[in-house]
Every structure is written in C-alpha cells, then in structure tokens.
Amino acid sequence: MTPANTPANMPAMTSASSSPARNGILLGLLSADPPRSRVLAILLLAILATLMATPFLIPGSQPIGTAAKICIFILLAASFDLLLGYTGIVSFAHTMFFGIGGYGIAIALSRLGATWTSVAIGLIAALALSAVLAFIIGLVSLRVRAIFFSMITLAVASAMLVLASQLSGFTGGEDGLSFQLPPELRPAFRVLADPVLGIPINGRLLAYYLILFVSLGMFLLLLRIVNSPFGRVLQAIRENEFRAEALGYRVVAYRIAASVIAALAATVAGALLALWLRYNGPDTTLSFSIMIDVLLMVVIGGMGTLYGSVIGATLFVLAQSYLQVLMASVSGSLTAVPLLASITHPDRWLLWLGILFVTSVYAFPGGIVGRLRRE
Amino acid sequence: MNASAANTHGGDLPRTPRDWVPLLLVPALIGVAAPLFGDLSSWVTLTTAGLAMGMMIFLMASGLTLVFGLMDVINFGHGVFISLGAYATLLVLGPLAAWGEADSLALNLGLLGLCILAAMAVTAAVGALFERVIVRPVYGSHLKQILVTVGGLIVAEQLIHALWGASPITVALPQTLRGAFVFGDVAIERYRVIAVVIGLAVFGIMHLVLNRTRIGLLIRAGVENAEMVEALGYRIRRLFVSVFVVGSALAGLGGVMWAFYRQTLTAGMGMDVMVLVFIVIIIGGLGSIGGCFVGSLLIALTANYVGFLAPKLALVSNILVMALVLIWRPQGLFPVNRQ
C-alpha cells in the first residue's frame, strides 16, 4: 500500500501531507490514508478530542448522550460509505442491520439476564443473522443488476420493520424492549471512590468510553479494509464495473463481500446504541427516517472517504440537536409571513438538509471533505 | 401482451413467439386460492379487493417502469407524485364538498373525475419541473439518480408538510360510492369496482397508444434502442420528457384512487406504497408495461389472500413472491432487452 493511491474522483493532494516518514505509527493506524488536508486534519482532531473529553468538558446527561450518538452514527455512516462511496451501490437496508444489532442486544439482555455472556450471545447471534441476510440479499439482487439491489433492500427493510412491530412477543412490538445492563455499566457502579474533576467515575462513564473506543476501533478497521487490496478492487468496480470484470475480478463476489462487511459493522453500531439507550424499538434503529439520515450524513460529509462520515455524522447529529433551536428563533421572527414561517418551522429542519443534500450531490459530489481537500 | 415483452433477438421476419406463461400466473393464483377459503363469499370479496388494489398499484407503477425502460432513469422520488396527487384532491374537495354529500351518482362521479383531473394536472406540472430540476442533470449515473431523487423526495415531502400541515387528513368517499353491491351472500365494495374499471381503462388506453400509434411505436423503439431512434432523427429527449410527465400524472391518478381507498392522507403515503411499486416493477421486468400489470395483480392478490389467511405474513409474502419470480426469471417476468 502506498499513500499515493488516491481515489480517481479526487485530485491528488500533496501540500498537506508532506511528511511521509515522520508519523510512521500514526500513518499505520490510519492505514496510510491520512486526511490530506490541514483543515480536515484539525477538524478531525478536534472532534476526536472533544469526544474523548466530553464527560469532563461539558457535564450533564444531554451532552454525553449527544456525544455517544455521534460515535455510533460515525460508525454507522462509515460502514454505509463502504457501500455507497467505495462500492457504488445504494442500500436501503442498512438500518435493518443496525436494528438487528440493537434487537440482538435487547432480546438477549431482557431474556437471558443482565450479564456479559448475554451481551456476547446477543451480539454474536445478531452478527450471524446480519451476515446471512446480507449474503442472501446480495446473491438475489446483485447477481442481476446493481439497481435491483436498491429496490430489493428497500422492500426487505420495510418487511423487516413490519415484522419487528408485528412479532410483539419477541421484539416488544411498537413499544420496543427496555432492559438492564450488566452491573459494570450501570450508573450505580463506581470505578473510583472519588469523583475526578467533579465528575463521578461510574458505570455510565464506562459505557460511554466503551462505545467511544469500540467505534474508534471499528472505524480504524474499516479504514484498513478500504485501503487494502480488497478495498482497491471495490473502488475499481465503482469506477468501471466492466473493466474490473475484464481484469478478472468477480464483481458480484466483491460486491456481496462489501455488503456483508458493511452489514456487520452496522450491526455492531446497533448493538452499541442499544447498550447506550438501555432500550431498543422500531423507531430508534429500524425506521426509514434513520436510513435517510445516514444517507444525508454520508453524502453531505463526502462519499468515498471515511473521514466524510465523521464530519457528516457529527454535523448531522449536532444539527438534529441544535439546528431546531436556531430555526425556532428564525421562525418566531417571521410569524408575519405565513409561508416563510412554516418552512422555517423547527419541524421542517429536514427540508433544509434535503436541499443541502440535493445541491451537494450536484455541486460538490465530494461533499465537505472533497471540498476541503481541493483547497 | 405488448411488444416490449416480445423480444427481438434474431430480428428475422417471422413474428417472435409470444410469452404466454406469465399471463397464466394470475388466473392460476386465483384458482389455487379458491379451495383455501371455506366459503365462496370471502374468496370473491378478497379477489375483487386484490384486483382493485392491483389496478391502483399498476397505475402508480406504470409510469415508473416506462421511464426506466425509455431512459434508464430510476426515480426513487416517484412516491411524491402519489402523495401529491392524493393531496391535490383537497383542492377540489374543499370548494365542492357539497357534491360529495349529494345523493346523486352523476355528481359523485363528477367529483371523482374532477379530483382526478386536478391531481393529474398538478402532478404533471410538478413532474415536468422535477424532470427539469432534479433528474436531467444526472442522466447516465444510477447512483446519482438514486441519491438525487431521494433528496427530491425528502424536500417534496417536507413541502407537503409545510403546505398542508403534518397531521393526517381524512377524506370521505362521495356518498353513492360508499357501501357495497350485495349478490346473495357475496358483497363487493362499490369503490373497488370503480378502481378496477379505471385501472382496466388506463391499461387499455396505454396498450392502444403503445401498440397502435406512431408515438407508441417510437416509445417502444426507444425502450429497445434509444440511440438508434435518435439517429433516425427523432427527438428522444422530448419523447422522454412527455413520458415522464405522463408517468407522473398516472402516479397522481393512482394517488387519488389510493387516497379514497385509505380515506386518510399523509405525506409519507406515497413512499409507503412505493415498496410495493418497486417489487411490482422488479417482478414485471424493468421497462415492461405488461409485466407491470401482471406483477401488480400478482402482488395485490397475494397480499390480500395472505392477509386473510395469515395476517402477520402479508408484507413478507410479497418478498417471497418476488424471490420466487426472480429465481424463475432473474430479469423479471417479461425481460426487456436493451441494446
């Protein structure tokens, strides 16, 4: 692997990464795929540092919840980017795998008791189910033409959503499942007797750091995968399917493999979300609106580069939490103008993100990261 | 059934053989289902319900499959036209509410007709705009088409929320269209009969236009080989825009029918039914009108039968039907050969 390998849709950048040997270990961690833009690098470091320090920087339960959500959605968006940006296929079933992860944990912990063994059993069962489903869907749809994949994943995902709400004896139906966590992750569990910097070091904090480090580890693993020879083949398929096939690569096999890997990563993300919320239901992990959210994150952040998912997911979750406040104030000042007031109503925040999404597909297909790298 | 189904490999003078097997699936399904129901009445009721629903799905799906066949464009935002058509009925139902309450078949049908006209006009206009603004810049790239049309879907759904409010709106069927025709112990809802009649009429007109007119000839030729049609001096772009507009208007028509069927309007109603629409056009073969028709009936009948016999499996049954069809014919019932 050489760092000179750049995806074809992005111009090679040399200015920002002029020290090839200095950060050997760091480059190794990033799989020789550095941000290649000073602004981007600073942004990523700032996000990482803030996430690391959130519990101590901004006390309170809402900021730490937002931070955990950011970690989980970075992982979810990055795994979706493996399909969308690197392989060039659009799946609408990504939240299905996200949901399977959540339900795996929820069902195992509520049935088998709040132990680490149940967490392991639930996670493994969910991973196995996701892998099998992703494999079958890929086999049925990708064999014919890639466009079938989008429609079939949409159909299967909506069937799964209905199933999850119908089989209420198993999944808790519309209400979902609430459950107890293993003792070490409960707020009552004390790691240290005394608070550090005024913050009690309890199980909740432990759960946050578990989520942070698992997400980080999975992200680096995905980075490793997209920069491996396997990842290069995926990019070749994205750029020109026929040429990749002519070079002797089994396009279908590679696409199916990519969709299975993405599904597994999404399952882990779903499991993490369930662990954080101590709850899982159709609306938190399975719903179609989360699928749209993930699509927006990846495209606005930048397709075809995992760093785009970091930026996209962070921006999106922050927007979800704080944009509505801003819009409420704008809308409040526009009450005299009927239509303007209703399109700036806080509930219409998705309208503005949708417009941003469409313009970003046209005007800057590389998303925010593509933009930053061009400067 | 139609010429887009009869493929042209070989191209010799003898007519290519017609593919009858998929056509037998619908009667076969209806026949097989009969013994599963103890009594005649529920079988008849469910069959008419299935046929009515199938016709509505066909209306919504036909435009999408033609657009795909002609220009290789997949519009994930098609559901917006369904929702928009449904909401457009409010433009008529508001001022003419009295027509719906009147106990006169003529006034009631007139109201339904006006709703349909208004919906088709609105969706045709929005369709033209959608084609110009959203779809035109992304010809040739499926990935971008999917992304951009999903983006268009989000924006349009939010605009519907902004214009008509986010809460569901109920619409009432016109007075004389409510209730059912009763023959002995068999009851058939009146509105379903109307849906079947309208669906069959549209299918008949489409069939005639595609097979008996010059413009239909060009569309069919465009599905087979767009570049050749263009090379012969026809403006395939103009043809495509008109097909897109007509397809949107048909989705609007389907939306009106669907709205009166469900009697509730939500901005997401189009997207909900799009799942069925996608299954239908995959089963039928992307680009095939005949396949779309057969697929709609198959899916709707299965959904109704299974919904009665094993309610929890209704939506899963559609996936199962799709999987079976794709195992049998990976390109759909009537594969469309593209050059």
Side-chain angles (χ1 to χ4, degrees):
Chain A
M1 297 314 311
T2 59
N5 263 338
T6 51
N9 63 347
M10 275 152 214
M13 297 298 301
T14 47
S15 57
S17 59
S18 51
S19 54
R22 200 181 59 197
N23 297 325
I25 301 168
L26 186 63
L27 215 54
L29 262 181
L30 298 180
S31 312
D33 184 11
R36 291 193 275 116
S37 150
R38 191 160 290 140
V39 183
L40 178 60
I42 292 169
L43 270 178
L44 291 172
L45 278 176
I47 290 172
L48 182 64
T50 314
L51 287 177
M52 287 280 189
T54 301
F56 300 99
L57 274 182
I58 327 165
S61 66
Q62 210 225 343
I64 194 176
T66 310
K69 208 175 163 197
I70 289 176
C71 296
I72 291 162
F73 274 90
I74 286 175
L75 174 56
L76 186 65
S79 64
F80 190 61
D81 195 31
L82 176 66
L83 284 182
L84 181 64
Y86 284 89
T87 319
I89 51 181
V90 187
S91 163
F92 287 101
H94 211 59
T95 47
M96 175 174 88
F97 302 115
F98 190 51
I100 289 176
Y103 275 114
I105 293 291
I107 292 171
L109 281 175
S110 57
R111 297 268 161 139
L112 306 174
T115 62
W116 287 103
T117 329
S118 334
V119 173
I121 292 174
L123 184 61
I124 290 170
L127 287 173
L129 178 62
S130 290
V132 170
L133 269 177
F135 181 76
I136 293 175
I137 294 173
L139 206 60
V140 171
S141 54
L142 289 171
R143 192 166 59 111
V144 190
R145 46 197 314 182
I147 192 130
F148 272 28
F149 185 72
S150 304
M151 297 189 244
I152 288 181
T153 49
L154 183 66
V156 173
S158 65
M160 203 53 133
L161 182 60
V162 172
L163 261 189
S165 48
Q166 295 277 319
L167 299 175
S168 46
F170 195 55
T171 59
E174 295 287 344
D175 297 334
L177 289 171
S178 295
F179 51 89
Q180 284 280 319
L181 289 180
E184 290 79 7
L185 297 182
R186 292 180 198 164
F189 179 77
R190 296 281 151 152
V191 184
L192 302 173
D194 300 314
V196 177
L197 299 172
I199 304 295
I201 308 298
N202 59 12
R204 199 73 183 137
L205 204 70
L206 215 57
Y208 174 72
Y209 281 106
L210 174 76
I211 287 166
L212 175 61
F213 284 110
V214 171
S215 304
L216 185 64
M218 289 290 294
F219 179 80
L220 293 177
L221 182 68
L222 285 172
L223 203 58
R224 180 67 254 168
I225 290 171
V226 297
N227 287 293
S228 68
F230 172 79
R232 296 284 175 234
V233 177
L234 293 185
Q235 281 158 286
I237 292 172
R238 175 193 71 191
E239 292 304 322
N240 192 329
E241 182 183 340
F242 296 109
R243 198 175 291 168
E245 186 92 51
L247 285 171
Y249 295 108
R250 299 254 309 146
V251 168
V252 178
Y254 275 91
R255 278 182 171 156
I256 292 177
S259 100
V260 172
I261 293 170
L264 292 178
T267 310
V268 174
L272 291 180
L273 186 68
L275 282 178
W276 178 252
L277 296 176
R278 289 166 284 179
Y279 163 82
N280 191 54
D283 289 337
T284 48
T285 48
L286 273 180
S287 77
F288 189 68
S289 63
I290 297 180
M291 191 63 244
I292 297 281
D293 294 351
V294 175
L295 202 61
L296 290 172
M297 289 175 199
V298 172
V299 171
I300 292 175
M303 287 185 281
T305 152
L306 291 185
Y307 297 119
S309 319
V310 180
I311 304 286
T314 309
L315 267 184
F316 191 91
V317 176
L318 287 179
Q320 208 169 23
S321 314
Y322 301 107
L323 180 67
Q324 301 190 19
V325 183
L326 178 73
M327 287 181 66
S329 67
V330 174
S331 181
S333 64
L334 284 173
T335 37
V337 196
L339 187 63
L340 272 184
S342 71
I343 61 173
T344 51
H345 189 273
D347 286 351
R348 298 284 83 76
W349 67 287
L350 205 52
L351 172 71
W352 298 101
L353 282 180
I355 292 172
L356 179 62
F357 174 83
V358 174
T359 39
S360 77
V361 173
Y362 290 141
F364 46 113
I368 295 173
V369 169
R371 197 83 218 165
L372 287 177
R373 282 182 172 172
R374 202 173 303 155
E375 277 164 8
Chain B
M1 171 133 291
N2 73 47
S4 61
N7 60 50
T8 54
H9 264 307
D12 292 334
L13 281 177
R15 290 173 66 91
T16 44
R18 291 205 171 194
D19 189 4
W20 288 109
V21 188
L23 297 184
L24 299 177
L25 284 177
V26 175
L29 178 65
I30 296 176
V32 166
L36 296 177
F37 298 97
D39 53 332
L40 184 70
S41 70
S42 52
W43 177 66
V44 173
T45 306
L46 286 170
T47 304
T48 44
L51 289 177
M53 190 176 153
M55 294 299 173
M56 287 187 259
I57 296 176
F58 167 71
L59 290 177
M60 298 183 247
S62 53
L64 191 63
T65 199
L66 258 192
V67 165
F68 183 86
L70 191 64
M71 224 55 176
D72 205 27
V73 164
I74 188 73
N75 180 8
F76 269 75
H78 196 68
V80 160
F81 300 120
I82 298 171
S83 304
L84 204 62
Y87 273 86
T89 57
L90 294 176
L91 300 177
V92 177
L93 286 179
L96 294 179
W99 287 27
E101 292 307 315
D103 196 14
S104 142
L105 185 63
L107 274 184
N108 289 170
L109 283 181
L111 182 70
L112 184 64
L114 279 180
C115 283
I116 289 174
L117 276 183
M120 290 182 81
V122 169
T123 47
V126 176
L129 186 75
F130 199 84
E131 197 277 337
R132 184 68 196 84
V133 178
I134 303 278
V135 183
R136 192 173 295 181
V138 288
Y139 283 140
S141 160
H142 280 161
L143 183 75
K144 282 195 171 180
Q145 283 164 14
I146 295 175
L147 294 179
V148 157
T149 53
V150 167
L153 172 89
I154 300 170
V155 173
E157 266 191 17
Q158 292 295 320
L159 284 178
I160 290 181
H161 279 310
L163 286 174
W164 278 288
S167 45
I169 300 172
T170 50
V171 289
L173 259 179
Q175 188 69 36
T176 52
L177 307 183
R178 298 172 199 164
F181 299 116
V182 181
F183 309 100
D185 59 348
V186 179
I188 299 175
E189 275 184 42
R190 295 179 193 181
Y191 184 66
R192 289 180 178 159
V193 178
I194 293 177
V196 170
V197 170
I198 291 181
L200 278 180
V202 169
F203 179 63
I205 293 170
M206 277 179 96
H207 192 70
L208 281 180
V209 169
L210 282 175
N211 290 302
R212 293 279 183 275
T213 66
R214 185 172 177 75
I215 198 132
L217 185 72
L218 284 175
I219 292 173
R220 284 183 292 135
V223 170
E224 298 272 345
N225 191 336
E227 277 175 14
M228 185 58 83
V229 175
E230 204 162 18
L232 288 172
Y234 297 99
R235 297 191 190 177
I236 196 89
R237 281 232 25 91
R238 196 179 284 176
L239 198 63
F240 172 65
V241 174
S242 40
V243 168
F244 194 96
V245 168
V246 171
S248 312
L250 283 174
L253 167 59
V256 175
M257 303 304 292
W258 192 241
F260 280 119
Y261 190 67
R262 291 178 14 136
Q263 309 201 358
T264 320
L265 301 180
T266 54
M269 63 186 287
M271 199 54 216
D272 295 339
V273 77
M274 276 311 278
V275 173
L276 290 180
V277 168
F278 282 132
I279 294 178
V280 159
I281 65 175
I282 289 175
I283 288 183
L286 283 172
S288 158
I289 286 292
C292 178
F293 189 70
V294 174
S296 307
L297 293 182
L298 273 184
I299 284 296
L301 284 169
T302 317
N304 273 282
Y305 291 149
V306 178
F308 182 78
L309 294 169
K312 293 196 168 180
L313 297 177
L315 191 58
V316 186
S317 72
N318 297 328
I319 308 282
L320 200 66
V321 173
M322 178 173 72
L324 288 176
V325 168
L326 288 184
I327 289 168
W328 177 41
R329 293 193 169 178
Q331 302 273 1
L333 291 174
F334 294 104
V336 175
N337 284 323
R338 298 184 61 86
Q339 261 77 52

